[in-house]
Amino acid sequence: MTDNLVIDGKTYQSRLLVGTGKYKDMEQTRAAIEASGAQIVTVALRRTNLGQKAGEPNLLDYISPQRFTLLPNTAGCYDVETAVRTCRLGRELLGGAALVKLEVLGDEKTLFPDVPETLKAAEILIAEGFKVMVYTNDDPIMARRFEQMGCVAVMPLAAPIGSGLGIRNPYNIRTIVENAGVPILVDAGVGTASDAAIAMELGCDGVLMNTAIAEARNPVLMASAMRKAIEAGREAFLAGRMPRRAYASASSPIDGTFFS
Amino acid sequence: MQLVINGKPSSLEHVHTLAELVAQLRLDGRIAVEINAEIVPHSRFASHLLHEGDVIEVVQAVGGG
């Protein structure tokens, strides 16, 4: 059965998208991403160290842009201008690749999105030809707005970034998925494999995560667990779960028992 | 020439173009550069002339989520 994720016309076999932050070192980053099976990998853009640390390893030596779709993010941006500038830098860095993960944050405590500012940034970026995957609240009305304006994927949070609290509002996520004509990916808040499976069972097209893997005691093993959870959740969604009942329903025949 | 590179005031001699600056700082090619908040594409590094007081940002990909 072919069941691929399609984002902006490009086909991906994996529905797990992973970040590259918070790992112990580059080698662990590489090993975890390998184990996750992810094909889309997020990166941040930061000032290059000038002078004193010449020759330090470059992330792109470990995560090859030829092999992975690299998704530059706008993490750390709290206003439209810095988010837009970051996307332009990302596109230049990656040789013209237009796919970006847009996030415009509201405050440092919650890292919740500043949705009105995110809308403004998305509008500018789309006009400049960017393909915007947008981080937003689990708000079905805003998700629809982002889709209508031309974002190629909408990525509602499950819970605050890095919180590991799991899906706080599954009913909203389901509503967003039901209304959507573009891929919906849960971005942020997943803590463990069951959270990822639940997102997929709700019908999400994929899940983007970083901390749940990087902060696990064994990140490589957790990456493998997440890969399986995403696949299991997707298959369960496609299979269609049984209805919930208030009381039992025997699985063995009630007729033909040798005791009467 | 006085420049501000990645937030630090820097005084550089014998540097006229962005390509010369990149070479003098021995920067890896996997960077993106903004001068006074405008992107300078790699294709224009050699022709882009630097000016006194330019504010230059040089970024690279790092781990992030």
Side-chain angles (χ1 to χ4, degrees):
Chain A
M1 185 181 72
T2 53
D3 172 46
N4 295 323
L5 172 63
V6 180
I7 296 176
D8 186 37
K10 193 170 171 191
T11 299
Y12 302 91
Q13 287 76 49
S14 171
R15 292 174 178 275
L16 174 57
L17 288 70
V18 297
T20 51
K22 298 181 177 171
Y23 287 99
K24 186 180 67 170
D25 54 31
M26 297 277 189
E27 186 48 46
Q28 189 186 60
T29 311
R30 190 203 57 73
I33 286 161
E34 193 69 44
S36 77
Q39 295 170 290
I40 303 178
V41 175
T42 63
V43 298
L45 297 172
R46 292 294 180 267
R47 284 172 167 168
T48 296
N49 259 319
L50 300 173
Q52 71 275 32
K53 280 192 178 174
E56 68 181 340
N58 187 309
L59 179 66
L60 302 185
D61 292 327
Y62 292 80
I63 309 298
S64 161
Q66 281 74 46
R67 186 166 157 216
F68 296 95
T69 294
L70 295 188
L71 186 63
N73 70 25
T74 63
C77 294
Y78 290 85
D79 59 75
V80 173
E81 195 208 335
T82 51
V84 169
R85 282 168 60 194
T86 301
C87 289
R88 290 176 185 146
L89 285 163
R91 178 160 67 177
E92 182 58 27
L93 179 71
L94 298 174
L99 198 65
V100 291
K101 173 183 160 177
L102 173 64
E103 51 187 297
V104 183
L105 303 171
D107 68 42
E108 290 177 17
K109 182 175 179 182
T110 66
L111 298 178
F112 278 139
D114 184 329
V115 176
E117 297 303 292
T118 308
L119 281 166
K120 288 181 211 162
E123 193 170 359
I124 294 167
L125 291 167
I126 291 165
E128 292 187 15
F130 283 94
K131 306 298 181 182
V132 177
M133 299 176 69
V134 63
Y135 165 69
T136 184
N137 270 319
D138 55 0
D139 176 341
I141 307 305
M142 293 322 305
R144 190 167 60 199
R145 281 280 293 277
F146 283 115
E147 177 180 341
Q148 286 168 344
M149 71 192 296
C151 292
V152 299
V154 177
M155 307 199 291
L157 53 81
I161 294 171
S163 69
L165 290 174
I167 298 176
R168 298 292 77 211
N169 199 336
Y171 298 98
N172 274 27
I173 298 291
R174 196 202 311 266
T175 304
I176 291 170
V177 168
E178 281 172 2
N179 293 341
V182 294
I184 301 298
L185 297 98
V186 156
D187 177 6
V190 164
T192 188
S194 53
D195 297 334
I198 289 168
M200 297 309 293
E201 288 172 10
L202 288 168
C204 289
D205 296 279
V207 178
L208 198 167
M209 65 179 76
N210 190 152
T211 310
I213 297 174
E215 283 191 0
R217 196 172 61 243
N218 182 337
V220 177
L221 190 56
M222 185 59 88
S224 166
M226 290 298 186
R227 175 186 196 152
K228 291 168 185 161
I230 293 285
E231 288 173 3
R234 178 65 182 175
E235 288 185 6
F237 170 71
L238 293 174
R241 62 152 297 148
M242 61 160 281
R244 288 178 172 83
R245 297 188 182 93
Y247 299 101
S249 166
S251 296
S252 307
I254 26 187
D255 295 330
T257 53
F258 64 88
F259 45 87
S260 55
Chain B
M1 182 162 22
Q2 293 294 321
L3 304 168
V4 178
I5 309 173
N6 285 359
K8 288 186 192 138
S10 309
S11 185
L12 289 146
E13 303 295 324
H14 315 299
V15 167
H16 306 283
T17 67
L18 178 55
E20 288 167 6
L21 177 71
V22 167
Q24 189 166 122
L25 296 175
R26 280 172 289 163
L27 293 171
D28 185 306
R30 291 166 297 183
I31 52 169
V33 179
E34 190 183 70
I35 299 184
N36 304 325
E38 296 287 337
I39 285 280
V40 182
H42 284 93
S43 60
R44 295 215 300 267
F45 278 17
S47 60
H48 188 98
L49 294 173
L50 300 175
H51 298 95
E52 191 70 27
D54 275 349
V55 176
I56 302 173
E57 295 293 341
V58 183
V59 303
Q60 66 179 51
V62 302

